[in-house]
Amino acid sequence: MRALFIVNPQATTTTPRARDVIVRAIASDLDVDLVQTEYRDHAKELARQAAVEGYELVISLGGDGTVNEVVNGILTAPPEAERPAYAALPGGSANVFIRALGLPPDPVEATGAILEALRTGSQRTVGLGRIDGPEDGRYFTFCAGFGWDAEVVHEVERQRRRGRRASPALYMGIALQMFLKGEEVRDPSLELEVPGRPLSKELYLALVTNTTPWTYAGTLPVQPTPRSRLGLGLDAFALTQADALTTADLLRRMLSPRGVPPAGRGYVTWHNEERFTIRTRRPRAFQIDGEYLGHRKQVDFRSIPKALRMVC
């Protein structure tokens, strides 16, 4: 099997020595070409070109951002190109999509699981989410968000450009600072519309998920939409209250094994939907798969069933 192995050298949780071990293990079983990413969206370009050049498999080592780029590269290849299968190895601080597939969070252990799956022919076809808006269209693997969480992602990216290392502690610290300041957190300018249902207005935060958890706080899964699954449509969660007591109670529930119930005080949820539209009265921060995509006023969401072949 001919494979292209895309490695993000800036991956936060792998050392050069670990990457060398993983590459040698992959090369012992496959006819593999190795390439390293050099800039944002480079993995997307490489994955698209892999489909054009007839590679049967794309492998990546990196975090959720690298996974998102590879997925979008494979799925935006020219129609005449046959889409390769995809195997994702964890190299970031959260690796949400990879862990949702049931792979180990340790990259060396995940490499062993992927090689075993390749030997046995184990593959899984998963659904994805897609956003469409005036700026662009893009697939996402596990989540998208408007408001507070996207502002946190935006600030983390700024901190990383200054040399800070991404970690659960950094995300949580920035989230707490923003909540205490209250500027973005207490802005009820969002509204969410599902076809055939009443419009939900005056929302402080809106999340759309393709699986659970939404993210991880260290080893703990954070589950605002615990019924969300890769084989179903999209779920959503939105805050209707943003006071300290309500927010603290919801965070406690998100961190519990069962996650947030389908209905309760201070929030609304939707389950297994084909489409959503989220609008805001003024541009708000927006993110998908932990990557800041700018400030936007409207985004349309669609569930794309059976979109991608994963080796896992």
Side-chain angles (χ1 to χ4, degrees), residues 25-268:
I26 295 290
S28 67
D29 277 33
L30 299 171
D31 176 13
V32 63
D33 294 320
L34 175 69
V35 63
Q36 294 192 2
T37 58
E38 299 176 1
Y39 47 84
R40 186 164 184 168
D41 276 339
H42 193 194
K44 179 180 177 181
E45 297 170 9
L46 293 168
R48 183 190 294 119
Q49 190 61 31
V52 171
E53 294 180 7
Y55 283 89
E56 299 168 87
L57 175 68
V58 173
I59 307 169
S60 72
L61 175 63
D64 292 312
T66 301
V67 171
N68 182 278
E69 289 186 19
V70 171
V71 166
N72 277 276
I74 291 172
L75 295 182
T76 57
E80 63 273 14
E82 185 172 346
R83 293 173 178 171
Y86 179 31
L89 298 173
S93 59
N95 306 299
V96 178
F97 179 66
I98 292 172
R99 291 159 83 172
L101 292 170
L103 290 168
D106 178 81
V108 175
E109 290 185 15
T111 299
I114 290 296
L115 290 174
E116 180 62 24
L118 287 168
R119 295 185 191 108
T120 62
S122 177
Q123 292 190 7
R124 177 181 176 187
T125 303
V126 300
L128 299 173
R130 180 174 171 84
I131 63 165
D132 293 294
E135 292 85 354
D136 59 11
R138 194 171 180 120
Y139 295 91
F140 63 95
T141 62
F142 65 93
C143 83
F146 249 123
W148 181 20
D149 80 311
E151 286 289 352
V152 172
V153 168
H154 188 197
E155 180 58 27
V156 168
E157 289 190 2
R158 282 197 288 252
Q159 297 277 353
R160 291 186 70 180
R161 287 195 294 270
R162 298 170 188 159
R164 292 286 299 275
R165 180 178 176 272
S167 67
L170 179 61
Y171 279 94
M172 288 186 286
I174 291 173
L176 179 59
Q177 290 175 9
M178 288 186 174
F179 184 81
L180 294 175
K181 288 181 179 179
E183 297 171 3
E184 285 295 326
V185 178
R186 295 176 178 84
D187 177 6
S189 61
L190 295 166
E191 59 183 37
L192 190 150
E193 181 179 13
V194 179
R197 297 195 183 189
L199 182 66
S200 292
K201 297 182 178 181
E202 303 299 312
L203 307 175
Y204 294 86
L205 162 75
L207 307 172
V208 177
T209 63
N210 187 49
T211 187
T212 194
W214 160 54
T215 188
Y216 285 88
T219 59
L220 293 174
V222 185
Q223 301 189 87
T225 55
R227 298 181 294 168
S228 187
R229 296 291 184 273
L230 292 171
L232 300 177
L234 300 176
D235 282 28
F237 169 95
L239 275 178
T240 58
Q241 299 178 31
D243 60 278
L245 287 177
T246 300
T247 304
D249 181 61
L250 284 171
L251 288 173
R252 178 186 63 79
R253 292 186 177 207
M254 287 182 192
L255 290 165
S256 69
R258 293 185 178 182
V260 175
R265 184 175 68 88
Y267 66 96
V268 286

Side-chain angles (χ1 to χ4, degrees), residues 272-291:
N272 193 23
E273 299 287 350
E274 293 183 5
R275 293 177 179 270
F276 294 102
T277 296
I278 299 178
R279 303 183 188 90
T280 177
R281 292 190 293 270
R282 66 176 183 86
R284 300 284 301 275
F286 177 69
Q287 64 87 15
I288 60 170
D289 288 349
E291 298 290 313

